[in-house]
Amino acid sequence: MNQQDLIKEIGHIRSMMEKSSKVLSISGLSGVLIGIYALLGAAVGYVVVYGFDSGFDYRDHYVTEPAVIETLIFIALVVLVASLATGLWMARRKAKKTRQLIWNPSSKAMLLAMAIPLMTGGLFSLILLSKGYFSLIGATLLIFYGLSLTSGSVYTFKEVRWLGILEILLGLLALLLPGYGLWFWAFGFGVLHIIYGFIVHKRYE
């Protein structure tokens, strides 16, 4: 075996080790679609609160109204379900194409690492909701979602870590400007996801 063959063999072994220890079935295009879902959800939420023809200085309703809260929660749940379904479907599709298992020790570890911050953030947001701190919920979701991404990023693409860091920073900024939670939510879950998705798609797909 000459030096060139040895280098190829080492590269092959490294690739196999990476596939066994990393979750590489995450689709970049699913990130783009999830971002689009978030922007659509934010647009509908804006119409619910501000109306069609209102400016920034006028709103038809307030988020403290029970009917508005229920509508916004419903919109968020629809976006969440659509995002999870799209992410899972496209991950399975990519895994099948690359002949990888979507459910393996690495994906289980990543799911557990992400679940703890996500569940904590969800429960904390429900507490804020029950106490009437509506203006803090958007920032809270961004921060805990970012923590979830950074926690799970050790098992997948490095871009996930940077997305998580940006989500955390955006959430902290949203805490300083609590009246603009919907806009920060749209940028964090929408625009950043679309940018991240395009980067992952270009680099790995």
Side-chain angles (χ1 to χ4, degrees):
M1 180 180 293
N2 56 38
Q3 185 176 3
Q4 187 175 3
D5 292 335
L6 182 60
I7 293 175
K8 288 182 179 180
E9 187 67 22
I10 293 174
H12 179 67
I13 295 173
R14 181 180 179 183
S15 177
M16 291 181 62
M17 291 179 63
E18 185 179 48
K19 288 182 178 180
S20 64
S21 62
K22 296 283 187 178
V23 180
L24 304 178
S25 58
I26 297 176
S27 171
L29 291 180
S30 68
V32 175
L33 290 175
I34 289 170
I36 293 174
Y37 298 158
L39 289 178
L40 291 174
V44 175
Y46 177 87
V47 172
V48 169
V49 176
Y50 292 94
F52 283 100
D53 301 321
S54 61
F56 292 107
D57 56 345
Y58 175 81
R59 60 177 67 196
D60 290 346
H61 302 282
Y62 289 88
V63 294
T64 54
E65 300 175 25
V68 174
I69 294 174
E70 293 176 2
T71 303
L72 293 178
I73 291 175
F74 176 75
I75 294 170
L77 289 176
V78 170
V79 172
L80 176 62
V81 171
S83 299
L84 291 175
T86 300
L88 180 60
W89 176 70
M90 298 197 74
R92 292 183 63 180
R93 181 182 175 185
K94 183 178 178 181
K96 184 178 180 180
K97 184 178 180 180
T98 56
R99 297 180 180 179
Q100 296 179 20
L101 294 175
I102 189 174
W103 192 243
N104 54 45
S106 295
S107 61
K108 293 177 183 178
M110 185 181 74
L111 182 62
L112 178 61
M114 295 182 68
I116 295 174
L118 279 178
M119 293 178 64
T120 304
L123 291 174
F124 186 62
S125 297
L126 289 176
I127 294 173
L128 292 177
L129 183 64
S130 66
K131 297 297 183 180
Y133 297 110
F134 306 109
S135 61
L136 301 179
I137 294 177
T140 298
L141 291 174
L142 286 169
I143 291 172
F144 280 95
Y145 179 61
L147 291 172
S148 174
L149 291 176
T150 55
S151 180
S153 64
V154 295
Y155 301 101
T156 187
F157 305 120
K158 63 180 183 296
E159 287 78 9
V160 174
R161 180 177 70 253
W162 290 110
L163 176 62
I165 292 173
L166 290 175
E167 298 283 3
I168 293 171
L169 294 175
L170 195 64
L172 293 174
L173 183 60
L175 286 176
L176 297 175
L177 301 168
Y180 299 92
L182 181 62
W183 298 100
F184 283 109
W185 192 91
F187 187 80
F189 291 106
V191 176
L192 287 183
H193 257 287
I194 292 174
I195 295 173
Y196 151 81
F198 274 123
I199 292 175
V200 170
H201 178 69
K202 183 177 180 180
R203 290 182 177 177
Y204 305 107
E205 299 174 12

